[in-house]
Amino acid sequence: MSDIRAPNRDGVLAAARSVAAILPPTPLLPVEIGGVRCHVKAESLQPVGAFKIRGGWWRLSNLDDMERARGVIAVSSGNHAQGVAWAARRLGIAAAIVMPRNAPQVKLQATRALGAEIVLYDRPGQNRDDVAAKLVEERGAVLVHAFGDPWVIEGQGSAGIEIEAQLGRAPSRLLVCCGGGGLAAGLALACPESAIHIVEPHGWDMVGRAIAAGEVVHVGENPPSTICDALQPDATKPINLSVLQGRAEPGITVTDEEVRAAQRFAFGHLNLVVEPGGAAALAAALAGKVAVDEDTVIMVTGGNTDAASFAATITDR
């Protein structure tokens, strides 16, 4: 099976049917921001605590018998790792995940618990894609990229099909936490009438910069630190940019403090535990960086955070 194809809306619709057969829809929760009632899509309540289960499932369920026998390799700081590991266990496929040594322990432990092999690399210092490519060559396994894969993009887009069904119409705009652009691209295909607002950590806005430049942009030397460990790819991929170019609104960035405020808001107003990267889109809305209306949907994309750091965040006023 060739990976050289463009993701499309028919694929998103097929992915949505496949996902719906194994997982219940995540809640679409009403929330008031600045006196305006809008909605939060609580992907943090997925079985693996993040939307990544969608793309992992759709990619692995489209492998042929020979590919399944060779196993899969993925690269992830934790959420994609768990999505792929969950799908691999359900489908009986061997999975090895290349993860940074400094990934949150809660994500490392959860990935191991799902039965995946973990291959650690140093971040910064080692190129994770090089580590993965070597494993693919040695094992003949299939690379399941976290965002630059057409099936993964389509799988993530299944969330948009759910949203339209729950809302009863197309959302006016979708605020999307953005790392490499897999979810944003999938939602752009799923909801062609909706504005797509990508939200990235300050200094890590590789997708926003790529859209503005019309070409892939790589992170510079010594980028700023961010608490959003799930949103730190070095660059987007051409496949994501090709979908988002001309579809996504200008990129938005958020600070660590804005993200922490969003985590506190989600806990206090929605009873949701949200990891930093999963709160970025909500942070943009709360900071007034995007005007919301009653048909706005904010993606809360993940909840995989350790108890100590989360407790510190929600008690820091």
Side-chain angles (χ1 to χ4, degrees), residues 299-313:
M299 304 299 296
V300 167
T301 53
N304 292 314
T305 180
D306 67 275
S309 63
F310 186 71
T313 293

Side-chain angles (χ1 to χ4, degrees), residues 24-25 41 47 58 88 132 143 158-159 172 180 190 219 262 271 296:
K41 180 65 167 167
W58 185 235
L143 177 66
S158 66
S172 59
V219 69
N271 291 318
T296 295

Side-chain angles (χ1 to χ4, degrees), residues 3 5-7 147-150 153 185 236-244:
D3 288 348
R5 72 171 185 89
F147 54 87
D149 179 288
I153 290 169
T236 189
K237 296 290 186 183
I239 190 173
N240 306 88
L241 182 57
S242 68
V243 174
L244 293 170

